[in-house]
Amino acid sequence: MNRVIHPIEVESYRRMRARLDTSHLPPLTRAVVERVVHSAADLDYATDLVMDEDELVRAHTALHAGAPVVVDVEMVAAGITRRETVCRLRDAVARPGLTRSAHAIRLAHEQVGPGALWVIGNAPTALEELLTLDAAPALVIGLPVGFVGAVESKAALRESGLPAVSNVSEKGGSAVASAALNALLYHPTSPSEETS
């Protein structure tokens, strides 16, 4: 993917790397950590994020082979700048025992089937619902934010054994979730594409 990097982003990364050494991290883990830290200007994400490089490699391959990307809210979709996404929140309806966000995840699963990348940055109930489905995801970026259910839903994601990017704290949100996906999207698919 040819992407023109603005000088402000270059300088921002330079300043971030002056304060945070990520050189010891494997390539995709480093890309995700740096882009998430950059998106939030929060160095604590470097120790808060949880991911596995081998899972990221497989997800990177699936993403660049055209796997669908599903998001829980339009704010996450807006942050993913170079890829179409599926968001079914507008079609979803809350009912007793099922939030609108959870229903949207069911609808999206019916639409895309197995092998998608799921990016959840807003609703813990969306992540909880995804864990009840047989989604066989390429990756779940589970970074919902909040004081109710966020920590628990992310812990359940890690315990599920699904390939995932999550974090331990209440922090998260649309910007960091889309940043994690963008890190994989922007990362080169071959050494000749390396730019920095």
Side-chain angles (χ1 to χ4, degrees), residues 79-139:
I80 298 171
T81 55
R82 299 278 177 117
R83 188 66 179 268
E84 293 297 317
T85 61
V86 173
C87 181
R88 297 296 303 273
L89 191 59
R90 289 176 191 235
D91 305 317
V93 178
R95 50 185 182 252
L98 186 71
T99 66
R100 188 168 162 236
S101 295
H103 186 224
I105 293 300
R106 284 187 190 178
L107 293 173
H109 177 253
E110 291 169 5
Q111 180 178 338
V112 303
L117 287 87
W118 295 78
V119 188
I120 297 175
N122 184 64
T125 59
L127 183 53
E128 291 165 1
E129 183 64 24
L130 179 60
L131 296 178
T132 69
L133 303 173
D134 187 21
L139 184 70

Coordinates of all heavy atoms in Angstrom, one line a residue, residues 79-139:
G79 N -12.1 5.6 11.6 CA -10.7 5.6 11.8 C -9.9 4.7 10.9 O -8.7 4.8 10.9
I80 N -10.6 3.8 10.3 CA -9.9 2.9 9.4 C -9.9 3.5 8.0 O -10.9 3.5 7.3 CB -10.6 1.5 9.4 CG1 -10.4 0.9 10.8 CG2 -9.9 0.5 8.4 CD1 -11.2 -0.3 11.1
T81 N -8.8 4.0 7.6 CA -8.8 5.0 6.5 C -8.6 4.3 5.1 O -8.9 5.0 4.1 CB -7.7 6.0 6.7 OG1 -6.4 5.3 6.9 CG2 -7.9 6.8 7.9
R82 N -8.2 3.1 5.0 CA -7.8 2.5 3.7 C -8.5 1.2 3.5 O -8.1 0.4 2.7 CB -6.3 2.3 3.6 CG -5.5 3.6 3.7 CD -5.4 4.3 2.4 NE -4.7 5.5 2.5 CZ -3.6 5.8 1.8 NH1 -3.1 4.9 1.1 NH2 -3.0 7.0 2.0
R83 N -9.7 1.0 4.1 CA -10.4 -0.3 3.9 C -11.8 -0.1 4.2 O -12.2 0.5 5.1 CB -9.7 -1.3 4.9 CG -10.2 -2.7 4.8 CD -9.7 -3.3 3.4 NE -10.1 -4.6 3.3 CZ -9.3 -5.7 3.7 NH1 -8.1 -5.5 4.2 NH2 -9.8 -6.9 3.5
E84 N -12.6 -0.7 3.4 CA -14.1 -0.8 3.7 C -14.3 -1.7 4.9 O -13.6 -2.7 5.1 CB -14.8 -1.4 2.4 CG -14.8 -0.5 1.2 CD -15.5 0.9 1.5 OE1 -16.6 0.9 2.1 OE2 -14.9 1.9 1.1
T85 N -15.3 -1.4 5.6 CA -15.7 -2.1 6.8 C -17.1 -2.5 6.8 O -17.9 -1.9 6.1 CB -15.3 -1.4 8.1 OG1 -16.1 -0.2 8.1 CG2 -13.8 -1.0 8.2
V86 N -17.5 -3.4 7.7 CA -18.9 -3.8 7.9 C -19.3 -3.3 9.3 O -18.6 -3.7 10.3 CB -19.1 -5.3 7.8 CG1 -20.5 -5.7 8.2 CG2 -18.7 -5.8 6.4
C87 N -20.3 -2.5 9.4 CA -20.9 -2.1 10.6 C -22.4 -2.2 10.5 O -23.0 -1.6 9.7 CB -20.5 -0.7 11.0 SG -21.1 -0.1 12.6
R88 N -23.0 -3.0 11.4 CA -24.4 -3.3 11.3 C -25.2 -2.6 12.4 O -26.4 -2.9 12.6 CB -24.7 -4.8 11.3 CG -24.1 -5.5 10.1 CD -24.7 -5.1 8.8 NE -26.2 -5.3 8.7 CZ -26.8 -6.4 8.4 NH1 -26.1 -7.5 8.0 NH2 -28.1 -6.4 8.4
L89 N -24.6 -1.7 13.1 CA -25.3 -1.0 14.2 C -26.5 -0.3 13.8 O -27.5 -0.3 14.6 CB -24.3 -0.1 14.9 CG -24.7 0.5 16.3 CD1 -25.0 -0.6 17.3 CD2 -23.7 1.5 16.8
R90 N -26.6 0.3 12.7 CA -27.8 1.0 12.2 C -29.0 0.1 12.0 O -30.1 0.5 12.1 CB -27.5 1.8 10.9 CG -26.6 2.9 11.1 CD -26.3 3.6 9.8 NE -25.3 4.6 9.9 CZ -25.4 5.9 9.6 NH1 -26.5 6.3 9.0 NH2 -24.4 6.7 9.8
D91 N -28.7 -1.2 11.8 CA -29.7 -2.2 11.5 C -30.2 -2.9 12.8 O -31.1 -3.7 12.8 CB -29.2 -3.2 10.5 CG -28.8 -2.6 9.2 OD1 -29.4 -1.7 8.7 OD2 -27.7 -3.1 8.7
A92 N -29.4 -2.7 13.9 CA -29.6 -3.5 15.1 C -30.7 -2.9 16.0 O -31.0 -1.7 15.9 CB -28.3 -3.6 15.8
V93 N -31.3 -3.8 16.7 CA -32.4 -3.4 17.7 C -32.1 -4.0 19.0 O -31.9 -5.2 19.1 CB -33.8 -3.8 17.1 CG1 -34.9 -3.5 18.1 CG2 -34.0 -3.3 15.7
A94 N -32.2 -3.2 20.1 CA -32.1 -3.7 21.4 C -33.4 -4.4 21.8 O -34.4 -4.0 21.4 CB -31.8 -2.6 22.4
R95 N -33.2 -5.4 22.6 CA -34.4 -6.1 23.2 C -34.0 -6.7 24.5 O -32.8 -6.7 24.8 CB -35.0 -7.1 22.2 CG -34.0 -8.1 21.6 CD -34.7 -9.0 20.6 NE -33.9 -10.0 20.1 CZ -33.4 -9.9 18.8 NH1 -33.8 -8.9 18.0 NH2 -32.6 -10.9 18.3
P96 N -34.9 -7.2 25.3 CA -34.5 -7.7 26.6 C -33.4 -8.7 26.5 O -33.5 -9.7 25.8 CB -35.8 -8.3 27.2 CG -36.9 -7.5 26.5 CD -36.3 -7.2 25.1
G97 N -32.3 -8.5 27.3 CA -31.2 -9.5 27.3 C -30.3 -9.3 26.1 O -29.3 -10.1 26.0
L98 N -30.5 -8.3 25.3 CA -29.6 -8.2 24.1 C -29.5 -6.7 23.8 O -30.4 -6.0 23.4 CB -30.2 -8.9 22.9 CG -29.3 -8.9 21.6 CD1 -28.1 -9.9 21.9 CD2 -30.1 -9.4 20.4
T99 N -28.3 -6.2 23.9 CA -28.1 -4.8 23.6 C -28.0 -4.6 22.1 O -27.9 -5.5 21.3 CB -26.7 -4.2 24.1 OG1 -25.6 -4.9 23.5 CG2 -26.6 -4.4 25.6
R100 N -28.2 -3.4 21.7 CA -28.1 -3.0 20.2 C -26.8 -3.4 19.7 O -26.7 -3.9 18.6 CB -28.4 -1.5 20.1 CG -28.6 -1.1 18.6 CD -29.2 0.3 18.6 NE -28.9 0.9 17.3 CZ -28.3 2.0 17.0 NH1 -27.8 2.7 18.0 NH2 -28.1 2.4 15.8
S101 N -25.7 -3.1 20.4 CA -24.4 -3.5 20.0 C -24.2 -5.0 19.8 O -23.6 -5.4 18.8 CB -23.3 -2.9 21.0 OG -23.3 -1.5 21.0
A102 N -24.7 -5.7 20.7 CA -24.6 -7.2 20.6 C -25.4 -7.7 19.4 O -25.0 -8.6 18.6 CB -25.1 -7.9 21.9
H103 N -26.6 -7.1 19.2 CA -27.4 -7.5 18.0 C -26.7 -7.2 16.7 O -26.7 -8.0 15.7 CB -28.8 -6.9 18.0 CG -29.7 -7.4 16.9 ND1 -30.5 -6.5 16.2 CD2 -29.9 -8.6 16.5 CE1 -31.1 -7.2 15.3 NE2 -30.8 -8.5 15.4
A104 N -26.0 -6.1 16.7 CA -25.2 -5.7 15.5 C -24.1 -6.7 15.2 O -23.8 -7.0 14.0 CB -24.6 -4.3 15.7
I105 N -23.5 -7.2 16.2 CA -22.5 -8.3 16.0 C -23.1 -9.5 15.5 O -22.5 -10.1 14.5 CB -21.7 -8.5 17.4 CG1 -20.9 -7.3 17.8 CG2 -20.8 -9.8 17.3 CD1 -19.9 -6.8 16.9
R106 N -24.2 -9.9 15.9 CA -24.9 -11.1 15.4 C -25.2 -10.9 13.9 O -25.0 -11.8 13.0 CB -26.3 -11.3 16.1 CG -26.1 -12.0 17.4 CD -27.5 -12.3 18.0 NE -27.4 -12.7 19.4 CZ -28.4 -13.0 20.1 NH1 -29.7 -13.0 19.6 NH2 -28.3 -13.4 21.4
L107 N -25.7 -9.7 13.5 CA -26.0 -9.4 12.1 C -24.8 -9.4 11.3 O -24.8 -9.9 10.2 CB -26.7 -8.0 12.0 CG -28.1 -7.9 12.7 CD1 -28.6 -6.5 12.6 CD2 -29.1 -8.8 12.0
A108 N -23.7 -8.8 11.8 CA -22.5 -8.8 11.0 C -21.9 -10.2 10.8 O -21.4 -10.6 9.7 CB -21.4 -8.0 11.7
H109 N -22.0 -11.1 11.9 CA -21.6 -12.4 11.7 C -22.3 -13.2 10.7 O -21.8 -13.9 9.9 CB -21.7 -13.1 13.1 CG -21.3 -14.6 13.0 ND1 -22.2 -15.6 13.1 CD2 -20.1 -15.2 12.9 CE1 -21.5 -16.8 13.0 NE2 -20.3 -16.5 12.9
E110 N -23.6 -13.0 10.6 CA -24.5 -13.6 9.6 C -24.0 -13.2 8.2 O -24.1 -13.9 7.3 CB -25.9 -13.3 9.8 CG -26.5 -13.9 11.0 CD -27.9 -13.4 11.4 OE1 -28.5 -12.5 10.6 OE2 -28.5 -13.8 12.4
Q111 N -23.6 -11.9 8.1 CA -23.2 -11.4 6.8 C -21.8 -11.9 6.4 O -21.7 -12.2 5.2 CB -23.2 -9.8 6.9 CG -22.8 -9.1 5.6 CD -22.8 -7.6 5.7 OE1 -23.5 -7.1 6.5 NE2 -22.1 -7.0 4.9
V112 N -20.8 -11.9 7.3 CA -19.4 -12.1 6.8 C -19.0 -13.5 7.0 O -18.0 -14.0 6.4 CB -18.4 -11.1 7.5 CG1 -18.8 -9.7 7.2 CG2 -18.3 -11.4 9.0
G113 N -19.6 -14.3 8.0 CA -19.1 -15.6 8.2 C -17.7 -15.7 8.9 O -17.3 -14.7 9.4
P114 N -17.1 -16.8 8.7 CA -15.8 -17.0 9.4 C -14.6 -16.3 8.7 O -14.7 -15.9 7.5 CB -15.5 -18.5 9.3 CG -16.3 -19.0 8.1 CD -17.5 -18.0 8.0
G115 N -13.5 -16.1 9.4 CA -12.3 -15.5 8.8 C -12.2 -14.0 8.8 O -11.2 -13.5 8.3
A116 N -13.1 -13.3 9.4 CA -13.0 -11.8 9.4 C -12.1 -11.3 10.5 O -11.7 -12.0 11.4 CB -14.4 -11.2 9.6
L117 N -11.7 -10.1 10.4 CA -11.1 -9.3 11.4 C -12.1 -8.5 12.1 O -12.8 -7.7 11.4 CB -9.9 -8.5 10.9 CG -8.7 -9.2 10.5 CD1 -8.8 -9.7 9.0 CD2 -7.4 -8.4 10.7
W118 N -12.2 -8.6 13.4 CA -13.3 -7.9 14.2 C -12.6 -6.8 15.0 O -11.6 -7.1 15.7 CB -14.0 -8.9 15.1 CG -14.8 -9.9 14.4 CD1 -14.3 -11.0 13.8 CD2 -16.2 -9.9 14.1 NE1 -15.3 -11.7 13.2 CE2 -16.5 -11.1 13.4 CE3 -17.2 -9.0 14.5 CZ2 -17.8 -11.4 13.0 CZ3 -18.5 -9.4 14.1 CH2 -18.8 -10.5 13.3
V119 N -13.1 -5.6 14.9 CA -12.5 -4.5 15.6 C -13.5 -3.8 16.5 O -14.4 -3.2 16.0 CB -11.9 -3.4 14.6 CG1 -11.1 -2.4 15.3 CG2 -11.1 -4.1 13.5
I120 N -13.4 -4.0 17.8 CA -14.3 -3.6 18.8 C -13.7 -2.6 19.7 O -12.8 -2.9 20.5 CB -14.9 -4.8 19.5 CG1 -15.7 -5.7 18.5 CG2 -15.8 -4.3 20.7 CD1 -16.2 -7.0 19.1
G121 N -14.1 -1.3 19.6 CA -13.5 -0.3 20.4 C -14.5 0.5 21.3 O -14.1 1.3 22.0
N122 N -15.7 0.1 21.3 CA -16.7 0.9 22.0 C -17.5 0.1 23.0 O -17.5 0.4 24.2 CB -17.7 1.5 21.0 CG -18.7 2.4 21.7 OD1 -18.3 3.5 22.3 ND2 -19.9 2.0 21.7
A123 N -18.1 -1.0 22.6 CA -19.1 -1.7 23.5 C -18.6 -3.0 24.0 O -18.4 -4.0 23.2 CB -20.4 -1.9 22.7
P124 N -18.4 -3.1 25.3 CA -18.1 -4.4 25.9 C -19.1 -5.5 25.5 O -18.7 -6.7 25.3 CB -18.0 -4.2 27.4 CG -17.7 -2.7 27.5 CD -18.4 -2.1 26.3
T125 N -20.4 -5.1 25.4 CA -21.4 -6.1 25.1 C -21.2 -6.7 23.7 O -21.6 -7.8 23.4 CB -22.8 -5.6 25.2 OG1 -23.0 -4.4 24.4 CG2 -23.1 -5.2 26.7
A126 N -20.6 -5.9 22.8 CA -20.3 -6.4 21.4 C -19.3 -7.4 21.5 O -19.4 -8.5 20.8 CB -19.9 -5.2 20.5
L127 N -18.2 -7.2 22.3 CA -17.2 -8.2 22.4 C -17.7 -9.4 23.1 O -17.4 -10.6 22.7 CB -16.0 -7.6 23.2 CG -14.8 -8.5 23.4 CD1 -14.3 -9.1 22.1 CD2 -13.7 -7.7 24.1
E128 N -18.5 -9.3 24.1 CA -19.1 -10.4 24.8 C -19.9 -11.3 23.8 O -19.9 -12.5 23.9 CB -20.0 -10.0 26.0 CG -19.2 -9.4 27.1 CD -20.0 -8.6 28.1 OE1 -21.3 -8.5 27.9 OE2 -19.5 -8.0 29.1
E129 N -20.7 -10.6 23.0 CA -21.5 -11.3 22.0 C -20.7 -12.1 21.0 O -21.0 -13.2 20.7 CB -22.5 -10.4 21.3 CG -23.4 -11.0 20.3 CD -24.4 -12.0 21.0 OE1 -24.7 -11.8 22.2 OE2 -24.9 -12.9 20.3
L130 N -19.6 -11.4 20.5 CA -18.8 -12.1 19.6 C -18.2 -13.4 20.2 O -18.1 -14.4 19.5 CB -17.6 -11.2 19.2 CG -16.6 -11.7 18.2 CD1 -17.2 -12.2 16.9 CD2 -15.5 -10.7 18.0
L131 N -17.9 -13.4 21.5 CA -17.3 -14.6 22.1 C -18.3 -15.7 22.2 O -17.9 -16.9 22.4 CB -16.8 -14.2 23.5 CG -15.6 -13.3 23.5 CD1 -15.2 -12.9 24.9 CD2 -14.4 -13.8 22.7
T132 N -19.6 -15.5 22.0 CA -20.6 -16.5 22.1 C -20.9 -17.2 20.7 O -21.5 -18.2 20.6 CB -22.0 -16.0 22.6 OG1 -22.6 -15.1 21.6 CG2 -21.8 -15.3 23.9
L133 N -20.3 -16.5 19.6 CA -20.6 -17.0 18.3 C -19.4 -17.9 17.8 O -18.3 -17.8 18.3 CB -20.7 -15.8 17.3 CG -21.8 -14.8 17.7 CD1 -21.7 -13.5 16.8 CD2 -23.2 -15.4 17.6
D134 N -19.7 -18.7 16.8 CA -18.7 -19.5 16.2 C -18.1 -18.7 15.0 O -18.2 -19.1 13.9 CB -19.3 -20.8 15.7 CG -18.2 -21.8 15.2 OD1 -17.0 -21.6 15.6 OD2 -18.6 -22.7 14.5
A135 N -17.4 -17.6 15.3 CA -17.0 -16.7 14.3 C -15.7 -17.1 13.6 O -15.4 -16.6 12.5 CB -16.8 -15.3 14.9
A136 N -14.9 -17.9 14.2 CA -13.6 -18.3 13.7 C -12.8 -17.1 13.1 O -12.5 -17.1 11.9 CB -13.8 -19.4 12.6
P137 N -12.6 -16.1 13.9 CA -12.0 -14.9 13.4 C -10.5 -15.0 13.0 O -9.8 -15.8 13.6 CB -12.1 -13.9 14.6 CG -12.0 -14.8 15.8 CD -12.7 -16.1 15.3
A138 N -10.1 -14.2 12.0 CA -8.7 -14.1 11.8 C -8.0 -13.4 12.9 O -6.8 -13.6 13.2 CB -8.4 -13.4 10.4
L139 N -8.7 -12.4 13.5 CA -8.2 -11.7 14.6 C -9.4 -10.9 15.3 O -10.3 -10.4 14.5 CB -7.1 -10.6 14.2 CG -6.4 -9.8 15.3 CD1 -5.5 -10.8 16.1 CD2 -5.6 -8.7 14.7

